[in-house]
Amino acid sequence: MDLQDIEALKFPDVDGGSPLIIAGPCSAESEQQTLDTARALHRAGVKVFRAGIWKPRTTPGCFEGVGNRGLAWLQQVKRETGMLVATEVATIEHVHDALAAGIDILWVGARTTANPFAMQAIADTLQGHDDVTVLVKNPLNPDLDLWMGALQRLFNAGITRLGAVHRGFSSAGAHIYRNDPQWHIPFELRRHAPAMTILCDPSHIGGKREFVEPLTQQALDMGFDGLMIESHCDPDHALSDSVQQIKPEILKNILDHLVIRSGAPIEDELALLRQQIDDCDHELLAVLARRMNVSRQIGQYKRQQGLQIVQPKRYQEVINARISEGQSLGLTNEFVQEIMQTIHEESVRQQLND
Ligand code: PEP
Ligand code: MN
């Protein structure tokens, strides 16, 4: 058995074939905040509610979730609104407690997907619970095998109500988005598991409120099966991911204006290649911005030390080194030389103007 065998139909069909929308706060913070948000989302037509109660944060000391007492709030949401409820699990204990509380959908976060030991422990704990739905977010690093390996471990444990969530990939330096989408990676996953539900999480990709709407439409245009979107009744005061969460009313507006196109452009070869070009261009621009930033720092240093801006010996060394590096990557000498000259000219300009 492999991922090719996953049947999309086993995923809860909550919206009768239209895109699956999972929404809710990054974290459940209090009973009031959880219920206020859930009620507003229910009014907005959302059928699956998400809220993290165990929050794996990059930096210690941040809000790390309310823990087990949040399970009762999720049960209350389920009782009162009838929505399915979802939360993140990262350890064996989380899985036990979430299952005991009747949580419908468990998701594995990006930091956990990257850890095969943790994934195997979660899979072993889920063995025999084939009525639960599990979503696996992509790992932090753009490694399709790691993502598929995590899904495979769950599948081998008998979990066939399985889906994936694309939330973008961590990368160093300044980027437009919080997490680099690298769309070709979920497209590849689709090729390996054609019937599996693949959702997009525009909140964690964009990292800012204003990106949620365009990324949401883009994701549907690219053939994702649905969305996981962070929504909070009072985003400005959220204890985690404040700048990317949107109010339920805003989410309703976005959903009301979504254009659902037929066809599956995700399988279109040309669209797939164009998407890769876009990904490369985003990376190129981010790298160029980072390089110019370093150049400006060098400019300041040279000025402090009374050194001249253009140092011909260093310049020639850099060009020669890049040309031979380019050769080993299949790039022509002329092309590399031209690009490096253009970049160098801009660096000098930045250093002089700074
Ligand atoms: C989240 O969904 O709030 C979360 C922590 O996501 P990720 O694992 O994608 O960072
Ligand atoms: Mn979050």
Side-chain angles (χ1 to χ4, degrees), residues 34 99 288 297:
T34 304
L99 290 176
L288 284 172
Q297 291 177 37

Side-chain angles (χ1 to χ4, degrees), residues 135-196:
L135 297 173
V136 180
K137 289 194 164 198
N138 62 257
L140 292 174
N141 49 327
D143 184 336
L144 177 64
D145 289 338
L146 204 49
W147 197 2
M148 292 212 303
L151 287 158
Q152 188 80 54
R153 285 175 201 277
L154 294 166
F155 190 66
N156 292 348
I159 305 299
T160 51
R161 294 178 177 223
L162 206 49
V165 184
H166 174 48
R167 49 78 79 199
F169 302 94
S170 291
S171 54
H175 286 74
I176 304 173
Y177 296 140
R178 174 179 176 186
N179 289 306
D180 191 0
Q182 304 223 18
W183 299 106
H184 59 282
I185 293 186
F187 292 171
E188 268 299 293
L189 177 64
R190 169 74 91 212
R191 214 167 53 75
H192 284 86
M196 188 174 67

